[in-house]
Amino acid sequence: QVQLVESGGGLVQAGGSLRLSCAASGSIFSINTMGWHRQTPGKQRELVAAINSDGSTNYADSVPGRFTISRDNAKNTVYLQMNNLKPEDTAVYYCKMVITAPPYYNVVSYWGKGTLVTVSS
């Protein structure tokens, strides 16, 4: 059974930084895309950043130059470095990974349970 566990959320003042981590565990054959999404009450979950297995990345229009996504394939871990945080970045951040796993080697999207990021003004 594959599980994703996020860490690194918390309370920070505007202009501050946080680093989120998400590690996948279990029987994993390969991980394609790793990404971070966020959600606030009453709004749809939105993509923040994603990184593919070839290292290519894409970011939401609201975070260019402030957030950086990276991955450590040996650790099955994805990171999100968030700098110059703004109050509007306050949300629950969810990790998502597209994983191929035994026994059937289907391609499945897995989600973490989320970690709360609160940015005070």
Side-chain angles (χ1 to χ4, degrees):
Q1 188 76 358
V2 174
Q3 290 187 327
L4 305 186
V5 178
E6 300 120 330
S7 60
L11 173 64
V12 65
Q13 289 188 332
S17 299
L18 283 174
R19 189 191 194 208
L20 305 182
S21 300
C22 174
S25 61
S27 297
I28 295 171
F29 176 73
S30 65
I31 304 177
N32 188 355
T33 303
M34 298 180 175
W36 291 94
H37 293 66
R38 66 186 180 188
Q39 189 170 24
T40 54
K43 293 188 177 181
Q44 287 188 332
R45 193 172 296 185
E46 64 174 0
L47 173 70
V48 177
I51 183 168
N52 296 312
S53 56
D54 63 1
S56 59
T57 59
N58 63 292
Y59 293 91
D61 291 341
S62 57
V63 303
R66 299 190 299 122
F67 292 8
T68 302
I69 190 169
S70 60
R71 61 191 285 170
D72 185 333
N73 293 324
K75 297 181 179 180
N76 290 336
T77 299
V78 62
Y79 305 97
L80 185 68
Q81 178 66 43
M82 304 185 293
N83 298 327
N84 191 22
L85 282 160
K86 304 177 180 181
E88 51 263 42
D89 294 318
T90 295
V92 178
Y93 284 70
Y94 296 90
C95 169
K96 176 186 174 182
M97 295 190 188
V98 180
I99 294 174
T100 302
Y104 302 112
Y105 296 88
N106 294 329
V107 178
V108 178
S109 293
Y110 291 88
W111 290 88
K113 294 183 178 180
T115 184
L116 178 62
V117 171
T118 304
V119 184
S120 63
S121 58

